[in-house]
Amino acid sequence: MIASLGEISNLSEAYREGDLCSCGESLPSCSFWKAVEQELRRKCGQNVSLGTWDLMPENPDRFRYANVELLKAISGITGKPFLVDSSKTRRRLRRYQQCSDIDLKVVHLLRHPLGVAASSKRKGANGLKPIRVLRGWRIHNEKLCKLLKEQPRQVSLLRLRHEDFATDPEKWLRVIADWMGLTFERSQLEYYETPHHIPSGNRLRLSLAEGRAISLDTGWISRVTLGERIYLWLTARHFLTNLGYKCVISNEGDFVVPWPSSDEGAPQTIGTA
Ligand SMILES: [Zn+2]
């Protein structure tokens, strides 16, 4: 029922660069994206090329046209009515909110900022400085919460912490399926068994064949410095607390506060941000 598109907003650039699709082929050689391009040509004109199909135009009408046509083509080819766009830009979300013919559901997936900063450190010289990552995380998520609060039309929102999801993926997939009006299928846990054509996004998309099960990595906790904890406490402790995280200067080794369940036992969105 659901197809993952990764960070689809980068499709045309990734296509022009000849980047790898998650199936292992380069994007221009991938049979799935060739079929999508063919379908777009059939609907929108023979000159269409994915390399120039701009999914982020400034004009709202052009945004709607480019994205709705692409999503329709993908939905038709995959036979999946639900498509997941993991592009992480607020501008794209704002544009989607303006497309009344897209039945939009938003999952606001959070990860503890110290975990994000630690991941960046692992990239060595290619990673951003931890303080910059922490500041960027706070600014982005504060603006995102504001955008979701002020959205122009009623859009269903599920706010979810990565740490909860990775600890018990089955429980959370059931929550997400229920929220979407779908039934949980065990194959969702073995996502790597199904063919994927993800054009852009996390590099893990290129190692689906390794069959890595979803699991929680807490190794980053030991890599967090006192300076980073103090910076976060000074700049974001109230915001983090609202999102259900602990913000402490001492290294307690547990940054996630268990959150209350509803009467049915299912967790609801976290805080009010
Ligand atoms: Zn592919």
Side-chain angles (χ1 to χ4, degrees):
M1 292 295 276
I2 307 172
S4 174
L5 308 180
E7 295 179 19
I8 192 75
S9 59
N10 298 329
L11 175 64
S12 58
E13 187 185 345
Y15 189 92
R16 283 196 303 277
E17 300 280 327
D19 288 356
L20 284 180
C21 177
S22 62
C23 69
E25 294 286 342
S26 78
L27 285 168
S29 312
C30 164
S31 57
F32 174 79
W33 290 107
K34 275 184 186 169
V36 171
E37 191 174 59
Q38 204 55 40
E39 178 62 9
L40 280 177
R41 281 184 182 155
R42 194 181 67 76
K43 293 277 300 291
C44 309
Q46 284 306 309
N47 294 330
V48 166
S49 160
L50 285 184
T52 53
W53 193 256
D54 185 3
L55 291 169
M56 292 295 284
E58 283 298 328
N59 180 294
D61 291 334
R62 285 181 54 204
F63 177 92
R64 182 178 158 276
Y65 175 74
N67 283 276
V68 169
E69 290 301 334
L70 180 79
L71 296 178
K72 274 188 196 164
I74 294 173
S75 196
I77 289 164
T78 58
K80 309 273 174 77
F82 291 93
L83 304 175
V84 180
D85 178 351
S86 313
S87 309
K88 299 181 194 70
T89 74
R90 294 187 302 277
R91 188 159 75 93
R92 190 160 176 79
L93 175 61
R94 203 176 297 120
R95 287 275 181 262
Y96 270 138
Q97 288 174 335
Q98 292 163 344
C99 295
S100 55
D101 45 356
I102 294 180
D103 181 10
L104 185 63
K105 291 180 181 292
V106 178
V107 178
H108 181 188
L109 183 63
L110 290 150
R111 186 177 175 203
H112 196 288
L114 290 174
V116 182
S119 290
S120 185
K121 268 193 246 180
R122 268 217 302 224
K123 293 176 189 161
N126 294 326
L128 292 173
K129 293 268 181 288
I131 296 298
R132 207 172 148 194
V133 173
L134 297 176
R135 183 169 177 273
W137 183 97
R138 176 181 58 77
I139 292 172
H140 171 71
N141 281 288
E142 279 179 350
K143 287 186 174 177
L144 188 55
C145 286
K146 189 164 179 279
L147 178 63
L148 290 168
K149 210 171 183 177
E150 295 169 353
Q151 50 195 345
R153 65 184 166 113
Q154 202 59 39
V155 173
S156 187
L157 166 70
L158 183 73
R159 188 165 283 138
L160 176 60
R161 294 179 301 200
H162 159 80
E163 295 80 5
D164 291 318
F165 181 78
T167 301
D168 192 346
E170 179 174 338
K171 168 177 157 184
W172 286 97
L173 283 172
R174 285 181 186 279
V175 170
I176 293 169
D178 190 49
W179 170 68
M180 293 181 72
L182 300 173
T183 308
F184 166 76
E185 294 166 17
R186 195 147 294 279
S187 60
Q188 290 165 351
L189 288 167
E190 286 142 17
Y191 60 95
Y192 39 80
E193 300 284 357
T194 317
H196 284 82
H197 298 279
I198 300 173
S200 180
N202 192 299
R203 63 193 157 75
L204 287 178
R205 79 185 196 283
L206 300 175
S207 52
L208 293 176
E210 292 170 19
R212 215 172 297 179
I214 301 165
S215 62
L216 181 64
D217 172 15
T218 53
W220 57 269
I221 291 175
S222 60
R223 299 198 297 277
V224 173
T225 66
L226 178 62
E228 287 153 13
R229 289 198 301 272
I230 290 174
Y231 175 82
L232 198 63
W233 189 84
L234 288 173
T235 58
R237 64 184 182 280
H238 296 304
F239 184 57
L240 275 171
T241 306
N242 273 346
L243 295 171
Y245 284 115
K246 268 186 211 168
C247 189
V248 286
I249 291 177
S250 63
N251 195 356
E252 294 186 3
D254 179 10
F255 292 93
V256 182
V257 181
W259 54 333
S261 297
S262 70
D263 293 343
E264 295 81 40
Q268 301 297 313
T269 55
I270 311 164
T272 53

